[in-house]
Structure formats: structure tokens, C-alpha cells
């Protein structure tokens, strides 16, 4: 990741083309919304474009999944079929990473999301995403874990199997090649 959080003109234009094409291809995710309005918001908040670029770069395939009428924010979720490839094999957070004595993963979900200026999906948001398609049929994704569970050493993740969305628990220090995390960004 760049330290400046700015995109080159080529990255800026390339990302907008990708996002527009995805938006138009997946209208079921954002019925009643218009790309021109989304693009106007993106052009006014270029820092958000950088976060979307990072979501895209790590395999998230971000797309608009809603609009908050109270805040006038467009809501982007990672909509890749499987958990983003560039964000897998990570434990839950820094505390979990530091608790591992050996075979430590390269990173953790909470700090990666923070570095990208995005949030992990909650279980509820993950279930909302699953209403828009079939996601994580072969992978799983960490979701924001309630403090009461995390305090006891656990973390939660979700996936879709047998045409059903499941929520599970694991030690926060665990990591697997097929588990990453999905994020959201409000623009």
C-alpha cells in the first residue's frame, strides 16, 4: 500500500471504470440507484477512492449495496464471490497475532481493515450481503466480533454452505488459507 493514500490519474480513471462496469452489471445489488450520483460522491471524496482502490487491489471487488438516506452515504461492500484473496491467512487482531508463539500469520484482519480505512462487516451486514448473491461457498470471512466474545479469546466468522449462512467461532489467533475478511466503506 502507498503511504500517501492518493491515486495517480491513471489509477483514478481505471478504478472508476471498473466500479461503473461492476455497478451496471449487478443492478440487483442497488436497485433504484444511479451511477452518476455515486460517481459525483466519489469525485468529491478522493480519499474514499483510495480505500476502494485498496479493496479492489486485494481482491474484494467492491460494489454499492445501498444508500443511507439519513447521511446520504453510498455503502460499498466487498462483493467478490469468495473472501478477498489478498486478505486471507490472517488472524483476527493484533492481540491474537502477538499471542501466537510460532507460525504467525503475516497480518491480522482488524489492522488490515484500518490501514485501508474500511470496516469489517458485522454478522448482520454479512447476512445482508448474502441476500444479494451466494458468497463464500468455498471460503469464510472474519466478521466484527462483539467485545464480550473477543474478551474471552474468541472471534466469529461466517460462510455459506448448504444454501445457508452460518456464523461460527474460533480462537482469534487462528488463521486459514481459506479465511479472510470482507469490508465496507461509506461514501
Amino acid at each position: 500500500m502507498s503511504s500517501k493514500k492518493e491515486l495517480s490519474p491513471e489509477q483514478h480513471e481505471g478504478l472508476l471504470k471498473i466500479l461503473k462496469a461492476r455497478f451496471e452489471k449487478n443492478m440487483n445489488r442497488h436497485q433504484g440507484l444511479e451511477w452518476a450520483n455515486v460517481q459525483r460522491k466519489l469525485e468529491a471524496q478522493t480519499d474514499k477512492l483510495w480505500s476502494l482502490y485498496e479493496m479492489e487491489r486485494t481482491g474484494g471487488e467492491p460494489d454499492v449495496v445501498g444508500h443511507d438516506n439519513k447521511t446520504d452515504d453510498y455503502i460499498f461492500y466487498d462483493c467478490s464471490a469468495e473472501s478477498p484473496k489478498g486478505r486471507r491467512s490472517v488472524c483476527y487482531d493484533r492481540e491474537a497475532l502477538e499471542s501466537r508463539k510460532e507460525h504467525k500469520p503475516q497480518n491480522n484482519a482488524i489492522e488490515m481493515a484500518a490501514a485501508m480505512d474500511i470496516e469489517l462487516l458485522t454478522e448482520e451486514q454479512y447476512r445482508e450481503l448474502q441476500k444479494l448473491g451466494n458468497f463464500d461457498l468455498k471460503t469464510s470471512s472474519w466478521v466484527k466480533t462483539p467485545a464480550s466474545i473477543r474478551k474471552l479469546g474468541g472471534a466469529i466468522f461466517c460462510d455459506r454452505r448448504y444454501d445457508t449462512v452460518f456464523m461460527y467461532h474460533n480462537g482469534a489467533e487462528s488463521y486459514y488459507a481459506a479465511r479472510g475478511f470482507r469490508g465496507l466503506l461509506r461514501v
Side-chain angles (χ1 to χ4, degrees):
M1 282 186 279
S2 86
S3 59
K4 289 196 315 187
K5 297 188 178 185
E6 291 179 21
L7 299 181
S8 70
E10 296 80 20
Q11 290 170 323
H12 180 108
E13 286 306 312
L15 178 62
L16 286 177
K17 284 181 184 174
I18 290 168
L19 294 174
K20 181 180 181 185
R22 186 172 296 130
F23 184 92
E24 291 172 349
K25 182 179 178 186
N26 299 285
M27 291 304 293
N28 65 303
R29 295 178 184 160
H30 35 255
Q31 292 177 357
L33 300 182
E34 295 181 25
W35 174 252
N37 295 331
V38 176
Q39 184 169 343
R40 212 174 356 270
K41 291 278 292 206
L42 289 170
E43 296 285 4
Q45 299 180 58
T46 55
D47 59 320
K48 304 287 185 165
L49 268 178
W50 178 86
S51 294
L52 287 166
Y53 182 84
E54 289 299 301
M55 291 170 80
E56 184 70 29
R57 185 184 66 77
T58 57
E61 300 178 20
D63 196 9
V64 177
V65 297
H67 179 259
D68 184 331
N69 291 325
K70 290 179 185 170
T71 62
D72 194 32
D73 287 342
Y74 289 95
I75 303 161
F76 285 81
Y77 284 2
D78 285 308
C79 292
S80 53
E82 301 298 339
S83 197
K85 198 167 202 152
R87 297 186 236 152
R88 295 184 198 164
S89 295
V90 296
C91 61
Y92 184 73
D93 59 13
R94 169 62 56 183
E95 181 183 348
L97 181 66
E98 290 178 356
S99 75
R100 290 192 68 93
K101 303 291 184 238
E102 55 186 30
H103 308 296
K104 291 186 179 204
Q106 294 286 331
N107 213 331
N108 68 80
I110 295 294
E111 288 183 339
M112 284 182 78
M116 297 166 67
D117 290 333
I118 65 173
E119 302 171 42
L120 260 66
L121 295 183
T122 63
E123 178 190 357
E124 179 182 347
Q125 291 162 337
Y126 186 90
R127 290 181 184 280
E128 287 174 16
L129 173 67
Q130 291 286 359
K131 292 176 184 173
L132 301 175
N134 296 324
F135 301 94
D136 286 340
L137 298 178
K138 299 175 187 168
T139 58
S140 61
S141 297
W142 289 115
V143 294
K144 190 170 185 168
T145 298
S148 59
I149 294 173
R150 186 62 197 97
K151 183 180 175 184
L152 297 172
I156 59 175
F157 64 97
C158 297
D159 65 21
R160 182 182 199 108
R161 303 291 191 273
Y162 309 108
D163 202 27
T164 303
V165 178
F166 290 95
M167 186 269 290
Y168 310 89
H169 61 90
N170 220 165
E173 73 285 349
S174 66
Y175 68 98
Y176 300 93
R179 183 175 309 146
F181 70 92
R182 293 178 181 275
L184 78 95
L185 180 71
R186 298 175 73 88
V187 179

